[in-house]
Amino acid sequence: MSTDVLMPQMGESIVEGTIVRWIKAVGDVVERDEPLFEISTDKVDAEIPSPAAGVVAEIRAKEGETVPVSTVVAVIAPPGTRVEPSRGEPGRSVVGRVEAPAAATTRRPPAETARRPPAEAPSPTTPASAVQAARQRSSPLVRKIASEHGVDIADIQGTGAGGRVTRDDILAFMSRSPQPARPVAPLSGGQPGARTQTSPSAVGAGLPGDVVPMSVMRRKIAEHMTASLRTSAHVHSVFEVKFDRIEFIRTARKAEYERAGTKLTYLSFIVSAAARALATVPVLNASVQDDKIAYHAAINIGIAVALDWGLIVPVVRNADEKNLLAISRAIADLASRARAKQLKPEEVADGTFTVTNPGAFGALFGMPIINQPQVAILGVGAVEKRPIVIDDAIAIRPTAHLTLGFDHRIIDGAVADTFMAHIKRTLENWDPARV
């Protein structure tokens, strides 16, 4: 019996989803719980697993199409079914013709007849050109890094879906095998220095002169950010914080945390310090409801995670109740699963405060936009050694600029600075017993 594949409801408030990419094609063999297609919703991007093992018999919704939850988007035929894809218009969903499984007297087992390599996962016998093409289906960020550093993406073994090369793959490759820069390939006309023309990717990035549509995630980010600017009276306050004590503790306890399966990062300390400050200054852990202020009982801190295709904010729940090791593990787990598109809707919901870390990319500081319906957001600048004055003498210390963006409708400057002073004091005088 065939199995209908439904558009899942990724959260109570979600009524529809957009199909970003089909991982399997009509005629492909699929195992139960193997990724079948990728969707994007208001809450989260995710890879949806197949509800049954078998052969993809029909695909009823095309890439880029938004459909209501519980809509049948594909059909999985029983294992061993022979499916011949019908000819359809390019870019349209295709319905396959299903034939009965081969008779028992057939010399070749039906499962072997139906089994063929997935559309985007080259087998060991796939021609080299096909393997190279699969690897080069990477994100614009990966291609940009490859171009800037003269790296041939075809030389990298990708760990992403279908063998795609991810940002982590290319960075790891460059750290292992530094390569001399290669000249940029010319266009077919042979103009020196011209870039090779490539088709725009699903995330909506193209070459200069291209006009491409926004991805689903990009549209949602645009809507949320402009709505936040219309809603909140944004004000920002910047504090300089010394990290020499944190750096000493990190160095001393680094190996211990690695043995526990995680890393002790600056961000872990900052999230812990923010949780403690939120408990002391609770108006920053609140939201506005008409002409009322709702103070939240839980301290749930969202961590902005930069993806190759956008940004997502998974939530460390009850951060004030977690020790530094638990916070470190939570951040690493959420960030890893965000990049693998394995987050659940509830893991990006109910945040009461957000921390964003542009310093990871070298930014001195940022002026972040509040993540509605929250009333504050903390931006973390790069931790770098800088000259500072200590007791009328110039010293070199690791420092960072922390920026608080807050909603002036309910938070006054004195309250915001009290909150930031609490974080600064905690980080500069960290108790080693709390590690």
Side-chain angles (χ1 to χ4, degrees), residues 220-236 354 367-377 405-409:
K220 296 302 180 184
I221 291 173
E223 292 169 4
H224 294 165
M225 293 300 96
T226 53
S228 181
L229 288 174
R230 290 194 303 266
T231 300
S232 297
H234 279 70
V235 180
H236 293 85
T354 296
M367 309 295 279
I369 297 174
I370 297 167
N371 185 15
Q372 296 295 324
Q374 299 167 22
V375 294
I377 182 171
F406 60 96
D407 190 341
H408 210 350
R409 292 180 300 168

PDB file of all heavy atoms in Angstrom, residues 220-236 354 367-377 405-409:
ATOM      1  N   LYS A 220      11.150  36.240   5.472  1.00  0.00           N
ATOM      2  CA  LYS A 220      10.681  36.278   6.857  1.00  0.00           C
ATOM      3  C   LYS A 220      11.560  37.183   7.707  1.00  0.00           C
ATOM      4  O   LYS A 220      11.072  37.933   8.561  1.00  0.00           O
ATOM      5  CB  LYS A 220      10.646  34.863   7.437  1.00  0.00           C
ATOM      6  CG  LYS A 220       9.651  33.937   6.748  1.00  0.00           C
ATOM      7  CD  LYS A 220       8.241  34.500   6.799  1.00  0.00           C
ATOM      8  CE  LYS A 220       7.253  33.570   6.118  1.00  0.00           C
ATOM      9  NZ  LYS A 220       5.885  34.138   6.078  1.00  0.00           N
ATOM     10  N   ILE A 221      12.882  37.116   7.498  1.00  0.00           N
ATOM     11  CA  ILE A 221      13.792  37.987   8.236  1.00  0.00           C
ATOM     12  C   ILE A 221      13.477  39.452   7.924  1.00  0.00           C
ATOM     13  O   ILE A 221      13.427  40.302   8.827  1.00  0.00           O
ATOM     14  CB  ILE A 221      15.254  37.656   7.898  1.00  0.00           C
ATOM     15  CG1 ILE A 221      15.628  36.281   8.459  1.00  0.00           C
ATOM     16  CG2 ILE A 221      16.202  38.727   8.441  1.00  0.00           C
ATOM     17  CD1 ILE A 221      17.007  35.797   8.040  1.00  0.00           C
ATOM     18  N   ALA A 222      13.263  39.750   6.647  1.00  0.00           N
ATOM     19  CA  ALA A 222      12.952  41.125   6.256  1.00  0.00           C
ATOM     20  C   ALA A 222      11.669  41.614   6.923  1.00  0.00           C
ATOM     21  O   ALA A 222      11.607  42.745   7.436  1.00  0.00           O
ATOM     22  CB  ALA A 222      12.821  41.208   4.731  1.00  0.00           C
ATOM     23  N   GLU A 223      10.653  40.755   6.931  1.00  0.00           N
ATOM     24  CA  GLU A 223       9.380  41.139   7.552  1.00  0.00           C
ATOM     25  C   GLU A 223       9.550  41.383   9.051  1.00  0.00           C
ATOM     26  O   GLU A 223       9.050  42.382   9.595  1.00  0.00           O
ATOM     27  CB  GLU A 223       8.339  40.039   7.312  1.00  0.00           C
ATOM     28  CG  GLU A 223       7.910  39.900   5.859  1.00  0.00           C
ATOM     29  CD  GLU A 223       7.095  38.636   5.623  1.00  0.00           C
ATOM     30  OE1 GLU A 223       6.810  37.928   6.615  1.00  0.00           O
ATOM     31  OE2 GLU A 223       6.749  38.344   4.461  1.00  0.00           O
ATOM     32  N   HIS A 224      10.262  40.494   9.731  1.00  0.00           N
ATOM     33  CA  HIS A 224      10.403  40.599  11.184  1.00  0.00           C
ATOM     34  C   HIS A 224      11.242  41.802  11.577  1.00  0.00           C
ATOM     35  O   HIS A 224      10.942  42.490  12.557  1.00  0.00           O
ATOM     36  CB  HIS A 224      11.020  39.318  11.737  1.00  0.00           C
ATOM     37  CG  HIS A 224      10.135  38.122  11.590  1.00  0.00           C
ATOM     38  ND1 HIS A 224      10.590  36.825  11.742  1.00  0.00           N
ATOM     39  CD2 HIS A 224       8.812  38.010  11.307  1.00  0.00           C
ATOM     40  CE1 HIS A 224       9.590  35.977  11.556  1.00  0.00           C
ATOM     41  NE2 HIS A 224       8.509  36.678  11.285  1.00  0.00           N
ATOM     42  N   MET A 225      12.311  42.085  10.819  1.00  0.00           N
ATOM     43  CA  MET A 225      13.186  43.195  11.179  1.00  0.00           C
ATOM     44  C   MET A 225      12.505  44.545  10.955  1.00  0.00           C
ATOM     45  O   MET A 225      12.602  45.449  11.787  1.00  0.00           O
ATOM     46  CB  MET A 225      14.487  43.118  10.374  1.00  0.00           C
ATOM     47  CG  MET A 225      15.371  41.917  10.725  1.00  0.00           C
ATOM     48  SD  MET A 225      15.899  41.869  12.460  1.00  0.00           S
ATOM     49  CE  MET A 225      14.682  40.762  13.194  1.00  0.00           C
ATOM     50  N   THR A 226      11.805  44.706   9.834  1.00  0.00           N
ATOM     51  CA  THR A 226      11.115  45.975   9.595  1.00  0.00           C
ATOM     52  C   THR A 226       9.964  46.157  10.580  1.00  0.00           C
ATOM     53  O   THR A 226       9.703  47.282  11.038  1.00  0.00           O
ATOM     54  CB  THR A 226      10.597  46.053   8.148  1.00  0.00           C
ATOM     55  OG1 THR A 226       9.797  44.898   7.855  1.00  0.00           O
ATOM     56  CG2 THR A 226      11.740  46.122   7.156  1.00  0.00           C
ATOM     57  N   ALA A 227       9.296  45.065  10.937  1.00  0.00           N
ATOM     58  CA  ALA A 227       8.220  45.153  11.939  1.00  0.00           C
ATOM     59  C   ALA A 227       8.786  45.566  13.298  1.00  0.00           C
ATOM     60  O   ALA A 227       8.171  46.350  14.033  1.00  0.00           O
ATOM     61  CB  ALA A 227       7.492  43.815  12.054  1.00  0.00           C
ATOM     62  N   SER A 228       9.973  45.063  13.640  1.00  0.00           N
ATOM     63  CA  SER A 228      10.582  45.422  14.919  1.00  0.00           C
ATOM     64  C   SER A 228      10.940  46.896  14.963  1.00  0.00           C
ATOM     65  O   SER A 228      10.720  47.570  15.975  1.00  0.00           O
ATOM     66  CB  SER A 228      11.834  44.570  15.165  1.00  0.00           C
ATOM     67  OG  SER A 228      12.415  44.891  16.406  1.00  0.00           O
ATOM     68  N   LEU A 229      11.482  47.415  13.870  1.00  0.00           N
ATOM     69  CA  LEU A 229      11.833  48.832  13.843  1.00  0.00           C
ATOM     70  C   LEU A 229      10.596  49.720  13.941  1.00  0.00           C
ATOM     71  O   LEU A 229      10.653  50.821  14.505  1.00  0.00           O
ATOM     72  CB  LEU A 229      12.618  49.147  12.563  1.00  0.00           C
ATOM     73  CG  LEU A 229      14.051  48.618  12.516  1.00  0.00           C
ATOM     74  CD1 LEU A 229      14.668  48.860  11.144  1.00  0.00           C
ATOM     75  CD2 LEU A 229      14.900  49.273  13.599  1.00  0.00           C
ATOM     76  N   ARG A 230       9.485  49.251  13.386  1.00  0.00           N
ATOM     77  CA  ARG A 230       8.237  50.018  13.493  1.00  0.00           C
ATOM     78  C   ARG A 230       7.642  49.933  14.894  1.00  0.00           C
ATOM     79  O   ARG A 230       6.932  50.841  15.327  1.00  0.00           O
ATOM     80  CB  ARG A 230       7.203  49.500  12.482  1.00  0.00           C
ATOM     81  CG  ARG A 230       7.517  49.812  11.027  1.00  0.00           C
ATOM     82  CD  ARG A 230       6.287  49.567  10.151  1.00  0.00           C
ATOM     83  NE  ARG A 230       5.789  48.207  10.277  1.00  0.00           N
ATOM     84  CZ  ARG A 230       6.129  47.214   9.456  1.00  0.00           C
ATOM     85  NH1 ARG A 230       6.998  47.440   8.483  1.00  0.00           N
ATOM     86  NH2 ARG A 230       5.642  46.001   9.620  1.00  0.00           N
ATOM     87  N   THR A 231       7.943  48.844  15.612  1.00  0.00           N
ATOM     88  CA  THR A 231       7.288  48.585  16.893  1.00  0.00           C
ATOM     89  C   THR A 231       8.024  49.213  18.074  1.00  0.00           C
ATOM     90  O   THR A 231       7.421  49.886  18.914  1.00  0.00           O
ATOM     91  CB  THR A 231       7.168  47.067  17.125  1.00  0.00           C
ATOM     92  OG1 THR A 231       6.397  46.491  16.060  1.00  0.00           O
ATOM     93  CG2 THR A 231       6.502  46.765  18.458  1.00  0.00           C
ATOM     94  N   SER A 232       9.341  48.962  18.167  1.00  0.00           N
ATOM     95  CA  SER A 232      10.109  49.355  19.344  1.00  0.00           C
ATOM     96  C   SER A 232      10.855  50.665  19.121  1.00  0.00           C
ATOM     97  O   SER A 232      11.291  50.961  18.001  1.00  0.00           O
ATOM     98  CB  SER A 232      11.113  48.260  19.716  1.00  0.00           C
ATOM     99  OG  SER A 232      10.447  47.071  20.078  1.00  0.00           O
ATOM    100  N   ALA A 233      11.024  51.415  20.211  1.00  0.00           N
ATOM    101  CA  ALA A 233      11.849  52.629  20.190  1.00  0.00           C
ATOM    102  C   ALA A 233      13.278  52.196  20.510  1.00  0.00           C
ATOM    103  O   ALA A 233      13.670  52.093  21.672  1.00  0.00           O
ATOM    104  CB  ALA A 233      11.342  53.633  21.214  1.00  0.00           C
ATOM    105  N   HIS A 234      14.045  51.934  19.462  1.00  0.00           N
ATOM    106  CA  HIS A 234      15.377  51.362  19.635  1.00  0.00           C
ATOM    107  C   HIS A 234      16.382  52.383  20.165  1.00  0.00           C
ATOM    108  O   HIS A 234      16.500  53.487  19.636  1.00  0.00           O
ATOM    109  CB  HIS A 234      15.907  50.823  18.298  1.00  0.00           C
ATOM    110  CG  HIS A 234      15.387  49.477  17.938  1.00  0.00           C
ATOM    111  ND1 HIS A 234      14.079  49.248  17.564  1.00  0.00           N
ATOM    112  CD2 HIS A 234      16.004  48.255  17.886  1.00  0.00           C
ATOM    113  CE1 HIS A 234      13.911  47.964  17.300  1.00  0.00           C
ATOM    114  NE2 HIS A 234      15.072  47.342  17.485  1.00  0.00           N
ATOM    115  N   VAL A 235      17.113  52.013  21.207  1.00  0.00           N
ATOM    116  CA  VAL A 235      18.246  52.769  21.725  1.00  0.00           C
ATOM    117  C   VAL A 235      19.363  51.765  21.999  1.00  0.00           C
ATOM    118  O   VAL A 235      19.095  50.607  22.348  1.00  0.00           O
ATOM    119  CB  VAL A 235      17.879  53.528  23.030  1.00  0.00           C
ATOM    120  CG1 VAL A 235      19.079  54.321  23.544  1.00  0.00           C
ATOM    121  CG2 VAL A 235      16.701  54.458  22.803  1.00  0.00           C
ATOM    122  N   HIS A 236      20.620  52.194  21.838  1.00  0.00           N
ATOM    123  CA  HIS A 236      21.749  51.294  22.045  1.00  0.00           C
ATOM    124  C   HIS A 236      22.748  51.890  23.038  1.00  0.00           C
ATOM    125  O   HIS A 236      22.970  53.103  23.047  1.00  0.00           O
ATOM    126  CB  HIS A 236      22.468  50.998  20.726  1.00  0.00           C
ATOM    127  CG  HIS A 236      21.640  50.209  19.762  1.00  0.00           C
ATOM    128  ND1 HIS A 236      20.725  50.797  18.904  1.00  0.00           N
ATOM    129  CD2 HIS A 236      21.559  48.870  19.535  1.00  0.00           C
ATOM    130  CE1 HIS A 236      20.134  49.852  18.184  1.00  0.00           C
ATOM    131  NE2 HIS A 236      20.624  48.680  18.550  1.00  0.00           N
ATOM    132  N   THR A 354      17.757  37.920  23.668  1.00  0.00           N
ATOM    133  CA  THR A 354      18.597  37.363  22.606  1.00  0.00           C
ATOM    134  C   THR A 354      20.028  37.864  22.724  1.00  0.00           C
ATOM    135  O   THR A 354      20.269  39.021  23.071  1.00  0.00           O
ATOM    136  CB  THR A 354      18.035  37.734  21.215  1.00  0.00           C
ATOM    137  OG1 THR A 354      16.750  37.120  21.050  1.00  0.00           O
ATOM    138  CG2 THR A 354      18.949  37.248  20.098  1.00  0.00           C
ATOM    139  N   MET A 367      24.940  47.088  16.136  1.00  0.00           N
ATOM    140  CA  MET A 367      23.777  47.781  16.679  1.00  0.00           C
ATOM    141  C   MET A 367      22.547  46.936  16.354  1.00  0.00           C
ATOM    142  O   MET A 367      21.779  47.233  15.443  1.00  0.00           O
ATOM    143  CB  MET A 367      23.646  49.179  16.061  1.00  0.00           C
ATOM    144  CG  MET A 367      24.926  49.998  16.118  1.00  0.00           C
ATOM    145  SD  MET A 367      25.438  50.394  17.810  1.00  0.00           S
ATOM    146  CE  MET A 367      24.391  51.786  18.152  1.00  0.00           C
ATOM    147  N   PRO A 368      22.357  45.834  17.073  1.00  0.00           N
ATOM    148  CA  PRO A 368      21.350  44.838  16.678  1.00  0.00           C
ATOM    149  C   PRO A 368      19.916  45.326  16.831  1.00  0.00           C
ATOM    150  O   PRO A 368      19.612  46.188  17.662  1.00  0.00           O
ATOM    151  CB  PRO A 368      21.640  43.666  17.616  1.00  0.00           C
ATOM    152  CG  PRO A 368      22.288  44.294  18.807  1.00  0.00           C
ATOM    153  CD  PRO A 368      23.084  45.439  18.282  1.00  0.00           C
ATOM    154  N   ILE A 369      19.035  44.735  16.017  1.00  0.00           N
ATOM    155  CA  ILE A 369      17.595  45.018  16.067  1.00  0.00           C
ATOM    156  C   ILE A 369      16.938  44.012  17.006  1.00  0.00           C
ATOM    157  O   ILE A 369      17.249  42.818  16.988  1.00  0.00           O
ATOM    158  CB  ILE A 369      16.981  44.921  14.662  1.00  0.00           C
ATOM    159  CG1 ILE A 369      17.599  45.980  13.746  1.00  0.00           C
ATOM    160  CG2 ILE A 369      15.468  45.095  14.710  1.00  0.00           C
ATOM    161  CD1 ILE A 369      17.163  45.864  12.298  1.00  0.00           C
ATOM    162  N   ILE A 370      16.022  44.498  17.829  1.00  0.00           N
ATOM    163  CA  ILE A 370      15.364  43.666  18.836  1.00  0.00           C
ATOM    164  C   ILE A 370      14.540  42.575  18.165  1.00  0.00           C
ATOM    165  O   ILE A 370      13.860  42.804  17.161  1.00  0.00           O
ATOM    166  CB  ILE A 370      14.478  44.539  19.747  1.00  0.00           C
ATOM    167  CG1 ILE A 370      15.346  45.543  20.516  1.00  0.00           C
ATOM    168  CG2 ILE A 370      13.668  43.693  20.712  1.00  0.00           C
ATOM    169  CD1 ILE A 370      14.554  46.640  21.198  1.00  0.00           C
ATOM    170  N   ASN A 371      14.600  41.383  18.739  1.00  0.00           N
ATOM    171  CA  ASN A 371      13.848  40.231  18.253  1.00  0.00           C
ATOM    172  C   ASN A 371      12.475  40.234  18.932  1.00  0.00           C
ATOM    173  O   ASN A 371      12.336  39.855  20.086  1.00  0.00           O
ATOM    174  CB  ASN A 371      14.626  38.947  18.589  1.00  0.00           C
ATOM    175  CG  ASN A 371      13.988  37.703  18.021  1.00  0.00           C
ATOM    176  OD1 ASN A 371      13.127  37.774  17.149  1.00  0.00           O
ATOM    177  ND2 ASN A 371      14.392  36.555  18.526  1.00  0.00           N
ATOM    178  N   GLN A 372      11.474  40.697  18.216  1.00  0.00           N
ATOM    179  CA  GLN A 372      10.128  40.823  18.794  1.00  0.00           C
ATOM    180  C   GLN A 372       9.554  39.464  19.194  1.00  0.00           C
ATOM    181  O   GLN A 372       9.853  38.457  18.555  1.00  0.00           O
ATOM    182  CB  GLN A 372       9.188  41.482  17.775  1.00  0.00           C
ATOM    183  CG  GLN A 372       9.553  42.896  17.416  1.00  0.00           C
ATOM    184  CD  GLN A 372       9.432  43.857  18.595  1.00  0.00           C
ATOM    185  OE1 GLN A 372       8.540  43.722  19.426  1.00  0.00           O
ATOM    186  NE2 GLN A 372      10.335  44.824  18.656  1.00  0.00           N
ATOM    187  N   PRO A 373       8.732  39.409  20.271  1.00  0.00           N
ATOM    188  CA  PRO A 373       8.230  40.515  21.098  1.00  0.00           C
ATOM    189  C   PRO A 373       9.113  40.854  22.280  1.00  0.00           C
ATOM    190  O   PRO A 373       8.646  41.409  23.273  1.00  0.00           O
ATOM    191  CB  PRO A 373       6.883  39.968  21.566  1.00  0.00           C
ATOM    192  CG  PRO A 373       7.136  38.505  21.742  1.00  0.00           C
ATOM    193  CD  PRO A 373       8.097  38.117  20.642  1.00  0.00           C
ATOM    194  N   GLN A 374      10.401  40.511  22.214  1.00  0.00           N
ATOM    195  CA  GLN A 374      11.318  40.836  23.295  1.00  0.00           C
ATOM    196  C   GLN A 374      11.556  42.354  23.345  1.00  0.00           C
ATOM    197  O   GLN A 374      11.175  43.084  22.432  1.00  0.00           O
ATOM    198  CB  GLN A 374      12.632  40.080  23.096  1.00  0.00           C
ATOM    199  CG  GLN A 374      12.472  38.559  23.107  1.00  0.00           C
ATOM    200  CD  GLN A 374      13.689  37.824  22.605  1.00  0.00           C
ATOM    201  OE1 GLN A 374      14.807  38.343  22.600  1.00  0.00           O
ATOM    202  NE2 GLN A 374      13.475  36.580  22.157  1.00  0.00           N
ATOM    203  N   VAL A 375      12.233  42.796  24.407  1.00  0.00           N
ATOM    204  CA  VAL A 375      12.461  44.233  24.564  1.00  0.00           C
ATOM    205  C   VAL A 375      13.941  44.578  24.625  1.00  0.00           C
ATOM    206  O   VAL A 375      14.293  45.745  24.809  1.00  0.00           O
ATOM    207  CB  VAL A 375      11.748  44.769  25.828  1.00  0.00           C
ATOM    208  CG1 VAL A 375      10.237  44.676  25.669  1.00  0.00           C
ATOM    209  CG2 VAL A 375      12.215  44.039  27.085  1.00  0.00           C
ATOM    210  N   ALA A 376      14.824  43.579  24.463  1.00  0.00           N
ATOM    211  CA  ALA A 376      16.252  43.864  24.504  1.00  0.00           C
ATOM    212  C   ALA A 376      17.032  42.770  23.796  1.00  0.00           C
ATOM    213  O   ALA A 376      16.575  41.627  23.681  1.00  0.00           O
ATOM    214  CB  ALA A 376      16.735  44.006  25.951  1.00  0.00           C
ATOM    215  N   ILE A 377      18.244  43.146  23.320  1.00  0.00           N
ATOM    216  CA  ILE A 377      19.126  42.208  22.642  1.00  0.00           C
ATOM    217  C   ILE A 377      20.557  42.618  22.930  1.00  0.00           C
ATOM    218  O   ILE A 377      20.872  43.818  22.974  1.00  0.00           O
ATOM    219  CB  ILE A 377      18.854  42.174  21.122  1.00  0.00           C
ATOM    220  CG1 ILE A 377      19.751  41.150  20.421  1.00  0.00           C
ATOM    221  CG2 ILE A 377      19.014  43.557  20.490  1.00  0.00           C
ATOM    222  CD1 ILE A 377      19.371  40.909  18.960  1.00  0.00           C
ATOM    223  N   GLY A 405      20.904  46.614  22.800  1.00  0.00           N
ATOM    224  CA  GLY A 405      19.803  47.289  22.127  1.00  0.00           C
ATOM    225  C   GLY A 405      18.549  47.092  22.959  1.00  0.00           C
ATOM    226  O   GLY A 405      18.216  45.968  23.312  1.00  0.00           O
ATOM    227  N   PHE A 406      17.868  48.216  23.309  1.00  0.00           N
ATOM    228  CA  PHE A 406      16.714  48.075  24.199  1.00  0.00           C
ATOM    229  C   PHE A 406      15.562  48.963  23.742  1.00  0.00           C
ATOM    230  O   PHE A 406      15.740  49.931  22.991  1.00  0.00           O
ATOM    231  CB  PHE A 406      17.095  48.383  25.657  1.00  0.00           C
ATOM    232  CG  PHE A 406      17.627  49.772  25.897  1.00  0.00           C
ATOM    233  CD1 PHE A 406      16.796  50.800  26.332  1.00  0.00           C
ATOM    234  CD2 PHE A 406      18.973  50.061  25.712  1.00  0.00           C
ATOM    235  CE1 PHE A 406      17.278  52.070  26.573  1.00  0.00           C
ATOM    236  CE2 PHE A 406      19.479  51.333  25.942  1.00  0.00           C
ATOM    237  CZ  PHE A 406      18.626  52.343  26.384  1.00  0.00           C
ATOM    238  N   ASP A 407      14.374  48.582  24.201  1.00  0.00           N
ATOM    239  CA  ASP A 407      13.134  49.260  23.825  1.00  0.00           C
ATOM    240  C   ASP A 407      12.873  50.391  24.824  1.00  0.00           C
ATOM    241  O   ASP A 407      12.525  50.140  25.981  1.00  0.00           O
ATOM    242  CB  ASP A 407      11.981  48.254  23.834  1.00  0.00           C
ATOM    243  CG  ASP A 407      10.712  48.818  23.229  1.00  0.00           C
ATOM    244  OD1 ASP A 407      10.586  50.054  23.139  1.00  0.00           O
ATOM    245  OD2 ASP A 407       9.825  48.016  22.860  1.00  0.00           O
ATOM    246  N   HIS A 408      13.041  51.632  24.345  1.00  0.00           N
ATOM    247  CA  HIS A 408      12.923  52.791  25.234  1.00  0.00           C
ATOM    248  C   HIS A 408      11.476  53.048  25.666  1.00  0.00           C
ATOM    249  O   HIS A 408      11.237  53.912  26.517  1.00  0.00           O
ATOM    250  CB  HIS A 408      13.492  54.038  24.542  1.00  0.00           C
ATOM    251  CG  HIS A 408      14.083  55.037  25.486  1.00  0.00           C
ATOM    252  ND1 HIS A 408      13.941  54.954  26.848  1.00  0.00           N
ATOM    253  CD2 HIS A 408      14.825  56.150  25.256  1.00  0.00           C
ATOM    254  CE1 HIS A 408      14.563  55.969  27.417  1.00  0.00           C
ATOM    255  NE2 HIS A 408      15.112  56.716  26.477  1.00  0.00           N
ATOM    256  N   ARG A 409      10.526  52.289  25.141  1.00  0.00           N
ATOM    257  CA  ARG A 409       9.145  52.449  25.594  1.00  0.00           C
ATOM    258  C   ARG A 409       9.008  52.061  27.064  1.00  0.00           C
ATOM    259  O   ARG A 409       8.220  52.671  27.807  1.00  0.00           O
ATOM    260  CB  ARG A 409       8.185  51.603  24.743  1.00  0.00           C
ATOM    261  CG  ARG A 409       8.039  52.054  23.308  1.00  0.00           C
ATOM    262  CD  ARG A 409       7.068  51.135  22.573  1.00  0.00           C
ATOM    263  NE  ARG A 409       7.523  49.737  22.571  1.00  0.00           N
ATOM    264  CZ  ARG A 409       6.759  48.708  22.209  1.00  0.00           C
ATOM    265  NH1 ARG A 409       5.498  48.907  21.835  1.00  0.00           N
ATOM    266  NH2 ARG A 409       7.240  47.479  22.225  1.00  0.00           N
TER     267      ARG A 409
END
